[in-house]
């Protein structure tokens, strides 16, 4: 991300300032949370940073979980070859992130109440995002919360059924 001329240097410093600000604003995820496996990103791989034979994709993303179990997607477009925005597809399998509750899942830009996507009850979230060059954002995934609480719901999926019985029998 470091540049050899002044204009690129200013752009790089602005980009780093954006990343620092996001880290501070979304600290419950990015500083106090736990990093999970990255989502599947379907985007063109552009040579952004190269060192020898190593090439990084233009779009970098990670999923984070806060202490309450909520998920956030941190994503950035590190493309410095072209200034045009990149549109890319994201795929998140909620089972792989340990989300137990069933229902509809919504995605919001962190700190912005405007809805980005409203998902069906599918456990596989698939959506498209667009980011400008050297732009970074954090998106929060709202996960449904059970309306009632039951000690018998051992796997926290908001349903007491044989799965919970097997969990209990397993620990007997």
């Amino acid at each position: 991300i470091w540049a050899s001329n002044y204009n690129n240097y200013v752009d790089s410093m602005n980009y780093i300032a954006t990343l620092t600000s996001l880290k501070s604003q979304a600290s419950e995820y990015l500083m106090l949370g736990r990093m999970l496996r990255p989502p599947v990103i379907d985007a063109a791989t552009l040579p952004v940073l190269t060192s020898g034979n190593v090439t990084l994709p233009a779009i970098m993303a990670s999923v984070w979980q806060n202490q309450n179990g909520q998920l956030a997607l941190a994503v950035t477009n590190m493309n410095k070859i072209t200034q045009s925005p990149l549109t890319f597809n994201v795929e998140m399998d909620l089972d792989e992130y340990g989300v137990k509750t069933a229902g509809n899942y919504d995605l919001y830009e962190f700190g912005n109440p405007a809805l980005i996507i409203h998902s069906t009850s599918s456990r596989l979230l698939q959506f498209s995002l667009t980011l400008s060059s050297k732009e970074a954002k954090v998106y929060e995934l709202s996960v449904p919360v059970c309306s009632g609480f039951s000690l018998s719901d051992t796997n926290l999926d908001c349903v007491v059924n044989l799965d919970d019985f097997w969990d209990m029998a397993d620990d007997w």
Side-chain angles (χ1 to χ4, degrees):
I1 63 174
W2 304 111
S4 59
N5 65 40
Y6 180 75
N7 288 335
N8 285 342
Y9 176 78
V10 170
D11 288 344
S12 295
M13 290 298 104
N14 288 337
Y15 178 61
I16 290 171
T18 298
L19 295 176
T20 304
S21 176
L22 279 175
K23 182 179 177 185
S24 176
Q25 291 170 17
S27 63
E28 69 180 285
Y29 294 102
L30 304 178
M31 293 174 63
L32 303 174
R34 184 171 62 119
M35 186 177 188
L36 305 175
R37 74 167 201 82
V40 175
I41 301 291
D42 176 29
T45 302
L46 299 174
V48 177
L49 301 174
T50 56
S51 176
N53 293 331
V54 177
T55 301
L56 296 176
I59 302 296
M60 304 278 293
S62 59
V63 175
W64 295 78
Q65 185 177 42
N66 69 9
Q67 295 173 349
N68 297 328
Q70 296 289 341
L71 298 179
L73 169 68
V75 63
T76 185
N77 177 358
M78 299 188 337
N79 183 14
K80 62 183 183 180
I81 295 172
T82 65
Q83 296 301 315
S84 58
L86 289 179
T87 299
F88 52 97
N89 298 317
V90 180
E91 185 176 290
M92 295 173 62
D93 185 343
L94 296 182
D95 291 326
E96 292 182 12
Y97 294 108
V99 175
K100 301 282 186 187
T101 54
N104 290 335
Y105 308 95
D106 297 328
L107 189 73
Y108 298 90
E109 184 177 339
F110 190 83
N112 183 350
L115 184 66
I116 302 296
I117 66 155
H118 177 73
S119 172
T120 63
S121 58
S122 172
R123 306 288 294 163
L124 181 64
L125 299 182
Q126 297 175 315
F127 51 93
S128 294
L129 296 172
T130 301
L131 289 179
S132 297
S133 177
K134 293 188 178 178
E135 183 177 24
K137 291 188 178 183
V138 174
Y139 299 94
E140 270 186 301
L141 180 68
S142 74
V143 177
V145 178
C146 299
S147 58
F149 175 75
S150 173
L151 291 175
S152 302
D153 185 14
T154 59
N155 61 6
L156 304 175
D157 65 354
C158 299
V159 179
V160 177
N161 55 20
L162 281 177
D163 292 337
D164 301 299
F165 175 77
W166 291 121
D167 285 346
M168 183 185 70
D170 227 16
D171 292 334
W172 193 266

